[in-house]
Amino acid sequence: MTIKILHTESSLGWGGQENRTLNELIGLRTLGYQPLLACPPNARLGVRAREAGFEVIDIAMRGALDLPALWKLHRLMASRHIDIVNTHSGRDTQLAGMAARTLGHQRPRIVRTRHLALPISSLFSYVTLPDHVVTVSRFVASYLVSAKVPAERITAVPTGIDLSRYQTTTPGSLRAELGLANDTPLIGTVAILRRKKGHAELIEAIPTVLEKFPTAHFVFAGDGPQTDNLNQRIAELGLTRNVHLLGLRRDVVNVLASLDLFVLPTHQEALGTAFIEAAAMGVPAIACRVDGVPEVVCDGKTGLLVPVGDSAAIAASIIRLLSDNPLRQSMGIAARHWAEAHYSREVMVDGMLAVYQKLLTAKS
């Protein structure tokens, strides 16, 4: 029997959460499934899913008690005979969860994916509405158990990516784009420009790095609410020549292929898709020892971990890896092997399908 799967997402932005959901859709289609996506009309995930050829149903989801949205979801599930509803954010979990539960005994099974490392504010969308909760890391699973979500109703399915996209020997083009020499040390990050991603601490570390490597350049791919603040601090420190805010990039593979080091000193991270992508490209990472990050960045093997908010430690780690080419290269190779073994899209989709099958077997 082919499982009829509906993913829902109320988020309008684009980040690791939305990237994972799109990868799940693609992975399911590769196996012969035809998953649907319901999201607001202006959601970036919806735009990219349509570009990838998926059927996307526009539903505004203006609030947790949006009755028109609730009714549209109810009709969608009933008319398409949906077996599994996989929700991803708080608002769509409440709407889709309630819509599914109005369908009676033959209702779809409800899976809530928890993508974040933030504290939860209510157990309603983790215990009452869903039949099962999937987390993107063991760390998040442990946290939910401590928050009184029953352990037997939680499964950790780590985020996976399409590794084939990163199997390239072609150097990235960022140096040429920026007018830099081919041997310019290039350090970068890919993340939304939000305070807790730690861009500010990385900027504070750059002057120390430039004392040792004056030709080094730093690139920040992403946009977000901290753009103006970061630009101001870059100017204050006299770093405008060496630091480049690239904005939101669709060519993440090209960005990563251009880097010598990936640095993202995030304060809080459920797992960190960006670290997996860097590892898949064979780029060692410098990150903070926090939440689920140590699950993807193995300290001393695939990268280096530093304390949260410690610019001096960030600078020292960058200098250490730029100064030791053999170490940096061996970490990059180990990172690639780690990603291949644990974080492929195929492993992720198999894990999700196992959860779906278990719920449907219990239902019957």
Side-chain angles (χ1 to χ4, degrees):
M1 180 186 72
T2 300
I3 304 173
K4 297 178 181 178
I5 303 162
L6 170 66
H7 280 267
T8 66
E9 175 59 271
S10 53
S11 164
L12 302 180
W14 181 261
Q17 175 168 324
E18 294 78 16
N19 190 25
R20 171 181 169 127
T21 304
L22 181 58
N23 261 309
E24 285 187 25
L25 293 170
I26 294 170
L28 288 167
R29 183 172 62 188
T30 300
L31 294 176
Y33 298 91
Q34 294 182 317
L36 306 176
L37 171 66
C39 61
N42 52 340
R44 288 182 176 178
L45 172 60
V47 171
R48 297 202 184 191
R50 277 197 176 93
E51 289 176 356
F54 290 98
E55 182 179 357
V56 179
I57 297 90
D58 291 333
I59 300 178
M61 303 186 193
R62 287 175 286 265
L65 296 175
D66 184 341
L67 294 181
L70 191 66
W71 175 238
K72 288 178 182 178
L73 286 164
H74 173 98
R75 287 192 303 172
L76 174 63
M77 294 175 199
S79 64
R80 299 298 186 94
H81 305 288
I82 298 298
D83 298 304
I84 293 287
V85 177
N86 197 152
T87 71
H88 295 275
S89 291
R91 185 176 297 175
D92 65 278
T93 295
Q94 291 179 302
L95 289 168
M98 289 188 291
R101 287 190 174 275
T102 62
L103 291 169
H105 177 67
Q106 294 302 315
R107 67 171 177 82
R109 299 298 96 174
I110 307 159
V111 176
R112 164 74 194 264
T113 300
R114 178 61 177 177
H115 298 263
L116 305 177
L118 297 169
I120 61 173
S121 56
S122 168
L123 288 175
F124 182 66
S125 62
Y126 295 92
V127 176
T128 306
L129 282 177
D131 298 288
H132 205 80
V133 179
V134 167
T135 65
V136 300
S137 66
R138 297 189 303 274
F139 168 82
V140 177
S142 297
Y143 162 71
L144 289 181
V145 171
S146 73
K148 310 303 182 187
V149 179
E152 65 273 14
R153 293 177 60 183
I154 303 171
T155 301
V157 179
T159 295
I161 63 173
D162 178 9
L163 293 172
S164 67
R165 295 181 62 213
Y166 305 86
Q167 292 174 343
T168 175
T169 57
T170 304
S173 65
L174 270 186
R175 287 179 179 82
E177 177 183 328
L178 298 171
L180 305 176
N182 290 336
D183 61 351
T184 300
L186 195 60
I187 302 97
T189 190
V190 179
I192 186 172
L193 302 185
R194 184 181 291 140
R195 185 180 64 82
K196 288 192 175 181
K197 290 297 183 181
H199 296 91
E201 289 81 27
L202 174 53
I203 289 172
E204 297 300 324
I206 291 174
T208 302
V209 176
L210 292 178
E211 289 177 7
K212 181 73 173 177
F213 294 95
T215 64
H217 281 249
F218 294 76
V219 293
F220 292 19
D223 60 9
Q226 285 295 307
T227 301
D228 291 342
N229 290 338
L230 295 175
N231 269 319
Q232 180 180 339
R233 188 57 179 153
I234 289 166
E236 289 171 351
L237 292 172
L239 299 175
T240 52
R241 178 182 172 275
N242 295 81
V243 181
H244 313 272
L245 268 58
L246 304 176
L248 186 64
R249 301 283 295 225
R250 296 291 291 267
D251 61 335
V252 170
V253 171
N254 175 53
V255 172
L256 293 172
S258 303
L259 301 181
D260 296 302
L261 287 175
F262 181 84
V263 185
L264 181 58
T266 181
H267 305 176
Q268 196 171 51
E269 199 73 52
L271 188 70
T273 304
F275 296 117
I276 299 171
E277 292 177 327
M281 187 55 73
V283 181
I286 295 170
C288 292
R289 189 178 289 103
V290 66
D291 300 344
V293 174
E295 296 179 34
V296 289
V297 180
C298 304
D299 191 27
K301 296 180 180 179
T302 68
L304 298 175
L305 297 176
V306 301
V308 173
D310 192 336
S311 294
I314 296 169
S317 296
I318 294 172
I319 291 169
R320 177 185 172 189
L321 292 184
L322 288 182
S323 301
D324 192 336
N325 288 337
L327 176 62
R328 191 174 71 248
Q329 291 167 2
S330 68
M331 282 186 171
I333 294 169
R336 171 72 191 186
H337 291 329
W338 183 252
E340 288 173 340
H342 300 282
Y343 298 105
S344 70
R345 183 164 67 194
E346 291 77 13
V347 169
M348 174 182 67
V349 172
D350 285 347
M352 295 304 300
L353 283 172
V355 171
Y356 298 163
Q357 293 282 7
K358 183 177 180 180
L359 290 174
L360 293 175
T361 299
K363 175 183 176 181
S364 61

